[in-house]
Amino acid sequence: MNELISVIIPCQNDAETLRTTVQSIQEQQSVNVEIIIVCDGATQDTLHIAQDLAKENIQVLQQEAQGAPAARNAGARLSKGAYLYFCDADVKLAPNALHTLLTALQKNTKAAFAYGSFVFDERPMPAVHFSHYWLQRLNFISTMSLIRRAHFPGFDTHLKRFQDWDLWLSVVEKGGRGVAVAPQLFQTLAHQRSAISTRSELRAEAKAYLSQKHQLPKGGALKSLVWKISFTIYRLLHPVR
């Protein structure tokens, strides 16, 4: 396969994990990959590691802190691949992750993006078949999915949470759809995460913004609980194989 995949890694305070993440990308099987590391107001330790990793096939872009959405957009503008993969700097990809996603898009030529299962903080997150209905109600597709460049609308730089949810909603509203694969594609790496005291407020603010932007179904606490239970049943009845 000679289709170029551009892997874009925004980083800021990721000195503990960046090398492992990049190594897992370099070890991807049967794919042609370029790596772009975007240091978004990165710490000196993170910046030094990124610069040390810079090789012929690894570009490093340094910018003042603008947030992950802006960093990903900057990397996308610099990239050349027909496919884009936005990779967090604290994950380890399975050796066949990108090959699996690329194969899914080649077999499903009408799909705009491919996504799969992963492990988040030691919790398995099995993939669920694509559903616009459920996407409007729950955020179940990771940012770390493979998207065709032609379908990439850019990340909304106003959002501090749910950038992945907003991305896939925007793609779908323009006629795109996703395809799920069963294998576990990546796992998050254990490291010191910075505490965010306003996490719940930021989530509520982002959810309100998305609800208005995408005209999402309104639901209070009870309806949200019903959606989660129904989604769990949907996942059990329609496993991705």
Side-chain angles (χ1 to χ4, degrees):
M1 299 181 181
N2 56 10
E3 295 91 338
L4 180 64
I5 297 175
S6 297
V7 180
I8 297 153
I9 311 172
C11 62
Q12 193 170 69
N13 183 22
D14 302 285
E16 295 178 49
T17 56
L18 182 58
R19 287 186 186 276
T20 301
T21 296
V22 170
Q23 183 178 354
S24 73
I25 297 167
Q26 292 175 316
E27 294 173 350
Q28 290 299 294
Q29 301 171 354
S30 305
V31 288
N32 184 19
V33 173
E34 70 167 353
I35 301 173
I36 300 172
I37 301 173
V38 184
C39 295
D40 182 62
T43 62
Q44 283 300 311
D45 287 346
T46 303
L47 181 59
H48 288 159
I49 290 172
Q51 292 172 335
D52 187 52
L53 287 168
K55 297 178 181 178
E56 183 177 345
N57 65 333
I58 299 180
Q59 300 181 68
V60 176
L61 175 63
Q62 185 179 358
Q63 64 181 33
E64 295 183 2
Q66 300 177 40
R72 294 183 181 112
N73 289 340
R77 288 192 294 270
L78 189 62
S79 68
K80 300 176 182 177
Y83 301 88
L84 303 175
Y85 186 83
F86 298 96
C87 186
D88 290 349
D90 63 348
V91 302
K92 181 178 181 180
L93 273 63
N96 64 345
L98 296 182
H99 177 263
T100 299
L101 292 170
L102 179 59
T103 299
L105 287 181
Q106 290 175 328
K107 289 182 178 179
N108 297 269
T109 57
K110 293 184 178 180
F113 59 94
Y115 61 97
S117 305
F118 58 95
V119 175
F120 180 80
D121 287 350
E122 300 184 349
R123 289 185 293 127
M125 308 292 285
V128 179
H129 284 292
F130 179 77
S131 165
H132 187 195
Y133 175 89
W134 284 119
L135 186 62
Q136 289 181 311
R137 288 158 177 79
L138 295 169
N139 180 24
F140 66 91
I141 302 174
S142 167
T143 307
M144 286 171 281
S145 306
L146 189 65
I147 182 171
R148 300 182 196 273
R149 175 183 290 276
H151 288 271
F152 176 58
F155 284 91
D156 189 329
T157 57
H158 293 94
L159 280 165
K160 291 182 172 60
R161 290 289 179 274
F162 299 135
Q163 299 104 326
D164 49 0
W165 196 6
D166 174 71
L167 174 66
W168 307 127
L169 285 167
S170 297
V171 171
V172 172
E173 287 164 6
K174 293 183 178 181
R177 60 181 293 106
V179 58
V181 298
Q184 177 185 310
L185 302 178
F186 64 86
Q187 64 184 42
T188 57
L189 298 167
H191 72 294
Q192 185 65 40
R193 299 179 189 274
S194 54
I196 302 175
S197 59
T198 57
R199 182 179 296 274
S200 59
E201 287 131 7
L202 288 174
R203 289 173 64 89
E205 180 182 331
K207 181 68 180 292
Y209 176 82
L210 287 183
S211 295
Q212 182 175 14
K213 178 179 178 180
H214 298 287
Q215 297 297 300
L216 300 181
K218 295 181 180 179
L222 178 59
K223 186 172 288 188
S224 295
L225 177 61
V226 171
W227 286 342
K228 289 179 181 179
I229 295 173
S230 300
F231 181 71
T232 300
I233 295 172
Y234 171 78
R235 169 181 279 160
L236 292 173
L237 294 178
H238 305 280
V240 178
R241 301 184 188 282

